[in-house]
Every structure is written in structure tokens, then in C-alpha cells.
Amino acid sequence: QRGGAWRCCASMVRGHAKEVAQQRNAAKHKDKDAKGTQRGQAEKKLTYVCTICKAPMASYALVQQHYEAKHPKQIAPSKEAFGG
């Protein structure tokens, strides 16, 4: 019987501890959600887009490499064509 009484009280205490832990965890991660994800930040940096296949790229040098590798018969657009 002693074992049964212990289990009864332990589950009630654990339920409260779980609730407190969830609240603490939510408060800790509140700021992280506002900042966004690494993937979202990385997508913002992909400013160049291939005009043929719409592949996103981070720099004009990568655009030139992309055109040489994937579209060798085409000429890569100038940097001014991308707006900068």
C-alpha cells in the first residue's frame, strides 16, 4: 500500500512540474521565434535568380559559374541587369 500512495502523489507533483517546465520553456523560446530561422535568413540573402531556371544564388560570381555549368550556350546577364 505504501507504494500505491507514493505513485498517486508523485503523478500530481510531476503534472505540476511539467506545467511549470512548459511555461519556462515557452518564455525562453519566445524571443527565438520572433527572430526567425536560419533558413529564412539565408533565403533573404539569395538576391540573384537565374533567368532561365529560376535557381536562387547569393552572389553574381555564383550566377556566372551557374551559367557556365548549367547553361553553357547562353550568356550570363550583366550585374546591372540584376539591379546592382
Side-chain angles (χ1 to χ4, degrees), residues 1-55:
Q1 289 185 3
R2 253 177 66 188
W6 169 251
R7 288 185 205 142
C8 173
C9 297
S11 66
M12 288 176 26
V13 172
R14 182 60 201 143
H16 176 68
K18 179 181 177 183
E19 192 175 307
V20 171
Q22 286 176 341
Q23 290 172 352
R24 196 177 308 139
N25 216 9
K28 185 167 66 170
H29 292 296
K30 183 180 176 184
D31 295 335
K32 185 177 182 181
D33 292 340
K35 292 178 186 174
T37 61
Q38 286 182 339
R39 181 176 180 155
Q41 292 172 354
E43 287 176 355
K44 290 179 187 174
K45 293 180 182 178
L46 299 176
T47 56
Y48 298 94
V49 179
C50 175
T51 56
I52 298 172
C53 65
K54 307 298 183 202

